[in-house]
Amino acid sequence: MAVSTMIKAIKQVHCYDLVMVKIGSFYHAYGKDSYILSYLFGYKLKKFEKEYSTCGFPADSISKITSKLENKKINYVLLDRRNEYDKIAENSNGNLNKYQEYFEKANKYVNMKKRIDNIYKILIENIDAENAREKICEIEETIYEKGKI
């Protein structure tokens, strides 16, 4: 069965749990869950199939990840793909779960980061343009005008 099909089925049961799937020596998160991990840990998002994002990290980092999720009161579930998505571990905070709160923050973060990355890409692509220095000065002036954004 395809990973995306399994993730959809798993997320129907664990819709407010951050699901991480162990595949080989890495853990992977998909969709909303990848946004939260990117927000909290700075992991790079990649496209998975057409409509999903994903991020991954080495399995030996799992204690650091779960510790922070527990401190933030975000429910999580660890699954092992090799053993038919058997549950390795889970943590539930009951009514104190802050999954949705962190997803909302992560969604804003990811969308803003995409916009910034696009601006950066355009600047790099046009670095040799005649008016590049002028445009960068305008951007700097706008950013530094009040000392903060």
Side-chain angles (χ1 to χ4, degrees), residues 52-63:
Y52 294 106
S53 62
T54 184
C55 69
F57 57 90
D60 59 2
S61 298
I62 195 64
S63 61

Side-chain angles (χ1 to χ4, degrees), residues 8 19 22 28 30 32 40 43 56 58 61-62 65 67 73 77 86 88 98 106 113 117-118 121-122 129 133-134 142:
K8 284 179 189 177
V19 176
K22 186 174 185 195
H28 297 268
Y30 302 89
K32 291 179 176 183
L40 292 176
Y43 292 139
S61 298
I62 195 64
I65 304 300
S67 177
K73 297 198 181 322
V77 176
D86 278 348
I88 298 169
K98 294 188 177 182
K113 188 171 181 320
D117 289 344
N118 285 336
K121 182 180 174 187
I122 291 167
R133 182 183 272 302
E134 180 183 315
T142 301

